[in-house]
Amino acid sequence: MVLKGLSSTTDIDDIKSDLANQGLPVMKVAQMTQRKCKFPLPMYLVEVRKYVPDSWDIRDISACCYISITWYSFRRRPGPSQCYNCNYFHHSLLNCEIKTRPTSNSTKTTPNNSYANVAKTDQQMAAQKSESEPATPGLKIKTPPLARTSS
């Protein structure tokens, strides 16, 4: 659910603790941002655990941090969802079964053999090979002699 009514400078930990004190089983609170410039908006995405006995309904809570709030259902952006783990589409990080690639700090690395990367490495290897060939100074290029014409 999306929480609106608080200022964009409100601390996320304050929101989470206040909702938990009111009896709401909060899993995560995240501040929403604009798409391009990443400017923080005065809206917060609140994830709540489902089916917890003796807990309040999220829409029954009308105040947070002593400020009146309103709840809206989350409207996703159009298009397929994309995983933050593997960058493939139609699944999320929680449902991703692809093994995460090791970072550059680890000892083992797995190559990314996509067509673009293979073409890029072939071009880089050709450039390094041409740079590594020593240019011999004083090498004169011989030109073939001109054909003589008899007159």
Side-chain angles (χ1 to χ4, degrees):
M1 296 290 293
V2 177
L3 179 142
K4 291 184 180 180
L6 299 175
S7 69
S8 60
T9 59
T10 308
D11 189 28
I12 292 174
D13 293 331
D14 292 340
I15 297 170
K16 192 171 184 177
S17 64
D18 189 51
L19 292 174
N21 289 339
Q22 293 184 34
L24 196 64
V26 178
M27 287 177 36
K28 181 180 175 183
V29 176
Q31 187 170 13
M32 300 178 85
T33 58
Q34 283 184 347
R35 288 186 187 179
K36 292 186 179 180
C37 66
K38 304 297 183 193
F39 185 76
L41 297 173
M43 296 184 290
Y44 297 88
L45 184 66
V46 179
E47 293 182 21
V48 181
R49 278 179 270 170
K50 293 182 180 181
Y51 311 116
V52 176
D54 300 329
S55 66
W56 286 83
D57 185 25
I58 193 167
R59 292 185 187 261
D60 291 340
I61 296 176
S62 61
C64 180
C65 300
Y66 304 105
I67 298 174
S68 179
I69 59 169
T70 53
W71 295 99
Y72 295 94
S73 59
F74 179 67
R75 290 179 286 157
R76 296 175 4 141
R77 65 175 70 169
S81 60
Q82 187 173 10
C83 177
Y84 289 111
N85 184 30
C86 62
N87 289 330
Y88 292 141
F89 293 100
H90 304 294
H91 69 276
S92 66
L93 176 66
L94 296 175
N95 301 323
C96 185
E97 296 177 358
I98 295 176
K99 189 175 182 180
T100 306
R101 292 189 178 175
T103 61
S104 60
N105 296 340
S106 65
T107 56
K108 281 186 166 182
T109 57
T110 57
N112 185 358
N113 291 330
S114 66
Y115 176 75
N117 286 336
V118 170
K120 187 189 312 181
T121 54
D122 289 343
Q123 290 173 357
Q124 289 173 350
M125 288 175 58
Q128 289 175 356
K129 188 175 182 181
S130 66
E131 289 175 2
S132 64
E133 293 176 358
T136 54
L139 179 66
K140 295 181 181 177
I141 300 173
K142 296 182 180 180
T143 56
L146 296 175
R148 295 186 184 166
T149 58
S150 54
S151 44

